[in-house]
Amino acid sequence: MYEAIDRFVAKYIALTEEELAFFHSLLKHRKLKKKSFLLQEGEICDFEAFVLKGCIRSYYIDKDGVETILLFAVEDWWVSDLTSFAEQKPSHLFIETIEDCELLSIDFKNKSLLFQKIPAFERMFRLLVQRALGVLQQRFYASVSQTAEERYLQFMEKYPLIAQRVPQHQIARYIGVSPEFLSKVRSTMYKKH
């Protein structure tokens, strides 16, 4: 059960067997069915979850009821609401499974304990946050500088395995267009080629 997360951690930090065992003792194993919520708007996010199996989406719904998908998480990815988790404040996000999922999660109290006992984990999580921030900056830049077609092609190139696992209307919400608009974009692209 811990092989995947141990491989992931080993990319960032070296741990002893005792440290790994302590880390494992702080993790909670969860199995969730498709269309289950890990988090809903207004709740305080008390987990950071590593995806062992499945696909998850994180999104918000604006005042007009329009959904915007912030990220998809698949195997070997982490999912959480970083702001709600770090500040222990109510979330604006929904985190929902797209497929049946299996996760290993750590709560706020146990993550603090982990940092206290094994400071190397602070480095790993800092690097993960830096990577997440970089991805968000790239997405923001793309949203203001690229056409919908360019954003769609970039998504398909960067995340081909996710594109096969999520519906087109969710890809549309990820790249910031309506499903109808994405359908027109795709139709135009296919006519060109």
Side-chain angles (χ1 to χ4, degrees):
M1 172 172 50
Y2 299 111
E3 297 86 5
I5 200 166
D6 288 352
R7 275 193 309 273
F8 183 90
V9 169
K11 291 181 204 170
Y12 295 91
I13 55 176
L15 298 172
T16 66
E17 288 300 316
E18 294 79 28
E19 288 171 330
L20 270 177
F22 179 72
F23 175 51
H24 296 165
S25 75
L26 301 178
L27 298 172
K28 179 181 174 188
H29 183 245
R30 300 171 72 184
K31 287 186 177 185
L32 296 155
K33 292 281 182 208
K34 178 180 179 175
K35 295 191 179 218
S36 297
F37 284 98
L38 282 86
L39 180 70
Q40 295 190 58
E41 182 181 28
E43 297 174 349
I44 293 174
C45 183
D46 194 31
F47 68 87
E48 288 187 353
F50 181 79
V51 182
L52 295 172
K53 177 177 168 274
C55 184
I56 295 171
R57 67 188 179 126
S58 174
Y59 63 96
Y60 69 91
I61 298 174
D62 71 15
K63 61 181 175 16
D64 298 322
V66 177
E67 179 182 295
T68 299
I69 296 178
L70 299 177
L71 70 86
F72 296 106
V74 293
E75 291 81 7
D76 293 342
W77 288 28
W78 288 84
V79 65
S80 182
D81 176 339
L82 292 177
T83 304
S84 175
F85 182 83
E87 298 176 9
Q88 291 293 281
K89 290 183 177 174
S91 178
H92 298 290
L93 304 181
F94 295 86
I95 300 178
E96 181 184 16
T97 60
I98 295 173
E99 302 170 346
D100 290 351
C101 288
E102 195 173 339
L103 312 169
L104 288 172
S105 63
I106 189 164
D107 65 25
F108 185 81
K109 185 176 129 246
N110 282 337
K111 189 177 176 196
S112 298
L113 186 61
L114 180 66
F115 286 175
Q116 206 176 3
K117 298 270 188 192
I118 311 171
F121 272 102
E122 284 196 89
R123 178 181 188 279
M124 184 189 94
F125 280 100
R126 176 181 51 79
L127 292 171
L128 293 179
V129 168
Q130 285 175 337
R131 191 174 76 189
L133 179 59
V135 169
L136 283 174
Q137 285 177 329
Q138 289 173 341
R139 278 200 58 206
F140 177 75
Y141 176 74
S143 73
V144 297
S145 67
Q146 294 179 333
T147 66
E149 183 178 329
E150 288 169 331
R151 292 193 309 272
Y152 176 70
L153 288 170
Q154 186 176 36
F155 177 86
M156 299 301 285
E157 183 181 311
K158 197 170 184 179
Y159 306 113
L161 298 176
I162 294 175
Q164 295 170 18
R165 295 168 72 173
V166 302
Q168 286 296 311
H169 71 273
Q170 289 184 0
I171 294 173
R173 293 302 181 196
Y174 178 87
I175 66 169
V177 298
S178 70
E180 298 78 18
F181 188 78
L182 179 58
S183 186
K184 288 177 189 166
V185 166
R186 292 178 71 215
S187 175
T188 304
M189 285 168 49
Y190 292 127
K191 285 177 187 166
K192 281 184 197 172
H193 301 291

